[in-house]
Amino acid sequence: MASCRALLRLSCCLALLVAPLAGCTKRADVAVATVGRGPIEATVSSVNSGTTRAEQLAELAFGSVGRVKEVNCKLGQAVKKGDVLAQVENDDLRSRLEVAAEELDRAKRLSQSQAASRSNVAQAQGNYDAAVMAFQKSKITAPFDGIVVELNLEEGQLSQITAVIPVALIRLADLQPRYVRAEIDEVDLPRVKEGLPARVKILAMRKEPFKATVRKVVPFVSTVREQDRTSEVELTVDSEGALPPPGASADVEIVTEKKDAALTVNSRAVLGRGGDRYVYKLEGGRIHKVPVKVGISSYTVTEILSGLAQGDQVALPSEKVELKDGLAVNVT
């Protein structure tokens, strides 16, 4: 009988201890984001780094064999069209040209006095043209205004003619504004049009991006890498008076759509796929699953077309808490 009373007292004590704890269910700690209004952009990024290019890029070499007599340019130097950048020893070619010019002049004078036939003039003209061509081949002349971006030539060096030039003796880039060629994913091709604004980051110049404009979209999908099919785009870069170095890498971000005062929320808060999108809205200390309709989206924010109002708070997913409808939460 005494043991029964003892067990009864113990049960009552346990009941008194458990009763206060029953209403103290532990709440999950979650971070929330607030729905607000602000600017939003939909963008398309290049699948890998693009390349900065010059409108004209010339690889220059001699057209005749000889020892380099002089090099008249330096790496990074600006040159004008027609400037002689280098030449091989060509005194004999110069003499031949001078003689051919004298013979042509003589043949023309005699032809006027009918002391020489037209065939003699034609032959003298042919000899002169051949002498000019041979002399020109002994020189490297700038084909346009530009900058020397590569120089692999020294005085005294023996110049030879080969079918394949391993390296350009002189590489010249023009002074026109640079453009960037990049690749985008095939799924983004319908969204990218000529004239769209873009941002191009060229780390060889600075960390801040330059403004750019899409100038060409190639309607072709490359299958070189079957698992990564891409299309090419070209962008004109506003480099603010500077000339980016040809060959520099360029990260491209094209703005396909922009709104200045859209209803937006942190993109992490929007869950689901396709047309089945939803958030967990905070109401009275609990979160509730609410379907939403979304518009354009970026990496940071997503436009909300319906389902939420400005000022609403929604839970952000985390590895520590599994979000579910009706979950009691503490806002962190």
Side-chain angles (χ1 to χ4, degrees):
M1 190 68 177
S3 60
C4 290
R5 293 195 188 95
L7 288 173
L8 183 59
R9 294 194 197 96
L10 180 60
S11 298
C12 292
C13 291
L14 290 173
L16 291 172
L17 289 173
V18 172
L21 297 175
C24 298
T25 304
K26 185 177 180 181
R27 291 173 173 263
D29 292 333
V30 297
V32 298
T34 302
V35 180
R37 289 197 175 273
I40 186 173
E41 294 178 340
T43 61
V44 168
S45 298
S46 53
V47 296
N48 45 40
S49 292
T51 303
T52 305
R53 297 173 180 263
E55 295 290 349
Q56 296 183 85
L57 189 64
E59 296 183 353
L60 308 176
F62 294 109
S64 62
V65 177
R67 194 167 298 280
V68 178
K69 178 181 179 181
E70 59 185 40
V71 179
N72 302 320
C73 61
K74 296 180 180 179
L75 191 64
Q77 177 181 339
V79 298
K80 295 290 186 180
K81 179 180 179 180
D83 286 352
V84 177
L85 307 182
Q87 56 184 326
V88 295
E89 296 175 350
N90 54 10
D91 291 343
D92 56 335
L93 296 175
R94 187 188 297 275
S95 298
R96 175 185 166 188
L97 177 60
E98 292 173 351
V99 170
E102 292 175 357
E103 290 181 350
L104 177 60
D105 184 61
R106 180 172 176 273
K108 288 180 177 179
R109 290 198 310 270
L110 293 175
S111 175
Q112 291 176 352
S113 62
Q114 297 183 350
S117 64
R118 291 183 178 179
S119 61
N120 290 338
V121 176
Q123 182 178 357
Q125 184 68 55
N127 292 337
Y128 173 78
D129 292 342
V132 170
M133 183 175 295
F135 183 66
Q136 292 297 334
K137 287 182 177 180
S138 70
K139 302 185 295 181
I140 295 179
T141 305
F144 47 77
D145 294 354
I147 296 177
V148 178
V149 295
E150 188 173 345
L151 182 61
N152 300 297
L153 198 60
E154 295 180 357
E155 292 184 5
Q157 175 181 334
L158 181 62
S159 171
Q160 297 181 344
I161 301 176
T162 59
V164 179
I165 302 176
V167 292
L169 298 182
I170 298 177
R171 191 187 300 267
L172 191 67
D174 66 18
L175 302 177
Q176 299 180 51
R178 301 291 184 245
Y179 73 97
V180 168
R181 183 175 295 170
E183 294 180 333
I184 59 173
D185 193 285
E186 61 173 337
V187 300
D188 293 323
L189 184 58
R191 301 168 55 197
V192 178
K193 309 293 181 184
E194 293 182 8
L196 286 178
R199 292 181 286 268
V200 174
K201 185 179 294 185
I202 304 174
L203 293 179
M205 297 188 67
R206 69 185 194 190
K207 294 182 179 179
E208 295 76 19
F210 292 100
K211 293 181 180 179
T213 305
V214 177
R215 75 173 195 176
K216 182 186 293 185
V217 180
V218 181
F220 173 78
V221 177
S222 172
T223 58
V224 174
R225 300 182 299 273
E226 291 189 5
Q227 73 281 5
D228 186 18
R229 302 193 180 196
T230 59
S231 297
E232 280 194 350
V233 295
E234 290 183 2
L235 304 98
T236 301
V237 181
D238 179 8
S239 53
E240 301 170 12
L243 283 176
S249 63
D251 295 326
V252 173
E253 187 179 41
I254 302 169
V255 180
T256 59
E257 191 175 354
K258 183 177 180 180
K259 295 182 180 180
D260 294 326
L263 189 66
T264 62
V265 71
N266 190 311
S267 292
R268 289 176 51 210
V270 182
L271 307 175
R273 293 183 178 181
D276 184 21
R277 310 301 293 273
Y278 59 91
V279 298
Y280 283 99
K281 179 180 175 181
L282 179 65
E283 292 179 315
R286 294 180 181 273
I287 57 174
H288 298 280
K289 184 177 179 180
V290 176
V292 294
K293 184 177 180 181
V294 301
I296 63 176
S297 180
S298 69
Y299 291 115
T300 55
V301 293
T302 295
E303 181 187 15
I304 300 297
L305 300 178
S306 65
L308 292 174
Q310 185 172 352
D312 286 345
Q313 291 185 315
V314 293
L316 297 175
S318 70
E319 296 180 355
K320 297 180 180 180
V321 179
E322 180 183 358
L323 301 181
K324 56 185 178 180
D325 192 31
L327 180 67
V329 298
N330 284 324
V331 177
T332 61

Short mmCIF file of all heavy atoms in Angstrom, two decimals, residues 201-206 245 248-249:
data_model
loop_
_atom_site.label_atom_id
_atom_site.label_comp_id
_atom_site.label_asym_id
_atom_site.label_seq_id
_atom_site.Cartn_x
_atom_site.Cartn_y
_atom_site.Cartn_z
N LYS A 201 33.53 43.30 -68.52
CA LYS A 201 34.61 43.47 -67.56
C LYS A 201 35.91 42.94 -68.18
O LYS A 201 36.03 41.75 -68.50
CB LYS A 201 34.29 42.72 -66.26
CG LYS A 201 35.31 42.95 -65.15
CD LYS A 201 34.93 42.20 -63.88
CE LYS A 201 33.66 42.76 -63.27
NZ LYS A 201 33.35 42.13 -61.97
N ILE A 202 36.88 43.84 -68.35
CA ILE A 202 38.19 43.49 -68.91
C ILE A 202 39.22 43.69 -67.81
O ILE A 202 39.66 44.82 -67.54
CB ILE A 202 38.52 44.36 -70.14
CG1 ILE A 202 37.39 44.23 -71.18
CG2 ILE A 202 39.84 43.94 -70.75
CD1 ILE A 202 37.55 45.16 -72.37
N LEU A 203 39.59 42.62 -67.15
CA LEU A 203 40.47 42.71 -65.99
C LEU A 203 41.87 43.18 -66.35
O LEU A 203 42.61 43.65 -65.48
CB LEU A 203 40.53 41.36 -65.27
CG LEU A 203 39.23 40.90 -64.62
CD1 LEU A 203 39.40 39.54 -63.97
CD2 LEU A 203 38.75 41.91 -63.58
N ALA A 204 42.24 43.07 -67.62
CA ALA A 204 43.55 43.57 -68.04
C ALA A 204 43.62 45.09 -67.96
O ALA A 204 44.72 45.66 -68.00
CB ALA A 204 43.85 43.12 -69.47
N MET A 205 42.45 45.74 -67.81
CA MET A 205 42.42 47.20 -67.72
C MET A 205 41.97 47.66 -66.33
O MET A 205 42.61 48.50 -65.71
CB MET A 205 41.50 47.77 -68.79
CG MET A 205 41.96 47.49 -70.20
SD MET A 205 40.98 48.39 -71.42
CE MET A 205 41.44 50.10 -71.08
N ARG A 206 40.84 47.09 -65.84
CA ARG A 206 40.34 47.50 -64.52
C ARG A 206 39.26 46.52 -64.08
O ARG A 206 38.78 45.70 -64.87
CB ARG A 206 39.76 48.92 -64.58
CG ARG A 206 38.48 49.03 -65.38
CD ARG A 206 38.02 50.47 -65.51
NE ARG A 206 36.64 50.55 -66.00
CZ ARG A 206 36.04 51.66 -66.39
NH1 ARG A 206 36.70 52.81 -66.31
NH2 ARG A 206 34.79 51.66 -66.82
N PRO A 245 43.71 45.94 -74.77
CA PRO A 245 44.65 45.14 -75.56
C PRO A 245 43.95 43.99 -76.27
O PRO A 245 43.18 43.27 -75.64
CB PRO A 245 45.64 44.62 -74.51
CG PRO A 245 44.89 44.67 -73.22
CD PRO A 245 43.96 45.83 -73.33
N ALA A 248 42.77 40.20 -74.81
CA ALA A 248 42.45 40.19 -73.38
C ALA A 248 41.10 39.50 -73.14
O ALA A 248 40.18 39.60 -73.94
CB ALA A 248 42.42 41.61 -72.83
N SER A 249 40.99 38.81 -72.01
CA SER A 249 39.72 38.15 -71.67
C SER A 249 38.69 39.18 -71.25
O SER A 249 39.03 40.24 -70.72
CB SER A 249 39.93 37.13 -70.55
OG SER A 249 40.37 37.78 -69.36
#
